[in-house]
Amino acid sequence: MPHRAYVIDEMISAKSIAARIEALASEIKTAFTGTEKLIVVGLLRGSFVFIADLVRELDMNVEVDFLEASSYGEAMESSREVRILKDLRGEIGGKDVLVVEDIVDTGFTLKHVVGLLMSRNPRRLETIALLDKPSRREVDIKASWTGFEIPDAFVVGYGIDFAQRNRNLPYIGKVRFTDDEPG
Ligand code: 5GP
């Protein structure tokens, strides 16, 4: 699959992402008014660029931690079975937590992670996803905040990969296979 020829069509520009993150950060700051410290939990690896930009817009006391759940691997389809590959370093019991996800697709990953973290009794837990594909949802979950709703397309860039490539693109783009096309 990675050896198939493809091009990337820009879907969301770096500028639109930056503007959206500024607005989201302001909503988050308001929602967490009075919070002494916010534990921002990034889901690896796809959220690393998003979390880096988001925390720099959050002028409040934040701590950053990471969790890695099993992902697509080399495939383009969700496995529906979620495993934790790397757990948090810190404790979240009694704390205010914001989980940062790159894309909510079927919803299995976010649902599983939220269930796991809720079992540790945080004081409050909210979620934010840069992208949401509502038409793909298989389990009932929605992030507290969403950057952009997108149609059912396979996207890359801004931290999101295709078989480990294209994470370094500054924008979100849609993968289009050129070997499917006539001519
Ligand atoms: P879910 O469990 O909601 O089906 O899947 C969520 C995870 O699948 C995301 O965190 C992301 O890693 C991966 N994913 C979903 N859609 C896409 C996509 O369009 N492109 C890439 N590269 N990964 C995706």
Side-chain angles (χ1 to χ4, degrees), residues 3 7 10 31-32 44 50-51 54 61 69 72 80 82 86 88 91 93 95 109 118 120 126 144 146 163 167 175 180:
H3 53 266
V7 294
E10 183 173 298
F32 284 100
L44 292 172
F50 181 36
I51 194 174
L54 182 67
N61 192 13
Y72 288 16
R80 290 172 182 76
V82 182
K86 183 208 165 292
L88 298 177
E91 305 288 332
K95 309 213 172 125
T109 306
M118 285 305 287
R120 297 177 186 175
E126 304 289 347
S144 320
T146 296
R167 289 195 200 272
V175 168
D180 283 344

Side-chain angles (χ1 to χ4, degrees), residues 72 78 101-103 105-109 133 153-155 160-161:
Y72 288 16
S78 168
E101 167 73 305
D102 55 354
I103 311 177
D105 187 41
T106 62
F108 281 97
T109 306
K133 298 183 195 171
F154 191 79
V155 296
I160 302 164
D161 73 306

Side-chain angles (χ1 to χ4, degrees), residues 15 25 32 44-45 53 65 76 79 88 90 92 97 103 120-121 124 140-141 147 150 156 163 166-168 170 176:
K15 223 172 155 174
F32 284 100
L44 292 172
R45 284 174 258 178
D53 282 346
D65 205 340
M76 288 175 83
S79 62
L88 298 177
I92 57 163
V97 178
I103 311 177
R120 297 177 186 175
N121 302 310
R124 177 170 175 194
D140 183 27
I141 189 150
I150 59 167
V156 291
N166 312 123
R167 289 195 200 272
N168 53 332
R176 176 162 52 89

